Amino acid sequence: MTGAGRPEVPRELRPQLSALRDLAVDLAIGAGELVRAGRREAVSDRVGTKSSVTDVVTIMDRASEDYLRRRLDAERPGDAVLGEEAGIERSAAAQPQVNPITWVVDPIDGTVNYLYGRPEYAVSVAAVLGDPTRPGAWRPVAGAVANPETGQVYHAYDGGGAFLRDHQRTGDASGDRRLACTTVTELSLALLATGFGYAAEVRREQALALVDILPAVRDIRRGGSAALDLCTVASGVVDAYAERGVHVWDVAAGWLIATESGAHVATWDSGPERPVGIVAAAPSILPGLRDLVQDAYLRARRDPPRG
Ligand code: IPD
């Protein structure tokens, strides 16, 4: 990961990174169990909406974030927490200069899948340095993405490699398998994961950009969770991921997991009033993919569809 404003990892923080990762794993599993157990009640009749009618929030999004905040308050009282539902909060005990960590949490990433009973959703927990509210000014140093339906937990800390904990598959006591992204060298052979925003006008632009992107790659997959999309780049289940308009909580943990698998992750400029776009891929195809996606979005904005 590169970028002028991104903070370096202080040497004195290094010995703590594996413990931060362990906490992220524990939190993501704990919140995931809560979310899975509460699904029936959550999807019955108390589903609200946020930015648009398709942008849902369930009582379990809020319960999961409350759980994560309660545990972090108890176990890391000096740190700040930024979550999808309640924004950024710093406890009274926080001393940002001494303790520069912000926990960036997505209580359910893939809420629409959760609503429909599809298994591609996750709880994402990341420990981040810098200011996660400013694009390019933060760096994830430890994180975990847990899929409560499959029992799989992706995790990483800076410099420690990326791993998948999957007891069912490995049969191994630790259950951890080291991850490596694919080594694809041609963009035309890359299987590309992507996602779409909630606002109709954003989706129109995303659909138009696909007119240029789809013919240039092997195929497209839309899983429904940006956090898991980045983890599938790490595990080699897809070659690449690109999306415009994700939020920091969608991608903070997955960004680190993809990077630690050997993939490169970068942002692209999608216009002054636009949220940043993200691309993740095997290093050899990343520059070409970034150009392709950035140009496709520029064209989509220049020649908007009629109607
Ligand atoms: C969404 C998912 C989806 C992505 C959207 C995100 P949410 O997060 O990650 O895959 O395409 O951009 O907003 O709303 O389910 O937490």
Side-chain angles (χ1 to χ4, degrees), residues 55 84 106 108-111 195-196 198 222 224-226 243 246 250:
D55 186 3
E84 173 167 17
D106 193 338
I108 303 178
D109 186 55
T111 312
F196 306 115
Y198 290 109
R222 198 298 193 240
S225 157
E243 184 169 348
V246 286
D250 298 323

Side-chain angles (χ1 to χ4, degrees), residues 10 16 22 28 61 168 176 182 210 220 245 254 269 288:
Q16 300 174 40
D22 291 347
D61 287 88
Q168 282 172 351
D176 281 358
T182 66
L210 283 182
I220 299 276
D269 181 11

Side-chain angles (χ1 to χ4, degrees), residues 181-207:
C181 68
T182 66
T183 53
V184 64
T185 53
E186 284 182 50
L187 195 49
S188 60
L189 298 180
L191 186 60
L192 176 69
T194 193
F196 306 115
Y198 290 109
E201 125 243 354
V202 172
R203 288 180 168 183
R204 226 173 260 129
E205 193 178 287
Q206 288 171 322

Side-chain angles (χ1 to χ4, degrees), residues 212-231:
D212 287 337
I213 297 169
L214 184 53
V217 297
R218 185 193 290 272
D219 206 347
I220 299 276
R221 293 290 180 271
R222 198 298 193 240
S225 157
L228 287 173
D229 285 338
L230 282 159
C231 293

Side-chain angles (χ1 to χ4, degrees), residues 36-98:
R36 184 163 182 262
R39 184 179 168 273
R40 188 184 293 270
E41 192 193 352
V43 304
S44 54
D45 59 358
R46 280 183 279 169
V47 178
T49 57
K50 294 188 286 185
S51 62
S52 81
V53 286
T54 49
D55 186 3
V56 289
V57 59
T58 69
I59 52 167
M60 287 317 294
D61 287 88
R62 298 197 175 108
S64 171
E65 186 163 322
D66 287 349
Y67 165 89
L68 293 167
R69 285 179 186 274
R70 264 198 319 275
R71 289 227 20 218
L72 284 164
D73 270 359
E75 293 178 46
R76 301 281 307 179
D79 297 347
V81 183
L82 171 62
E84 173 167 17
E85 305 308 328
I88 195 152
E89 278 172 5
R90 204 175 278 286
S91 82
Q95 298 173 48
Q97 289 77 9
V98 181

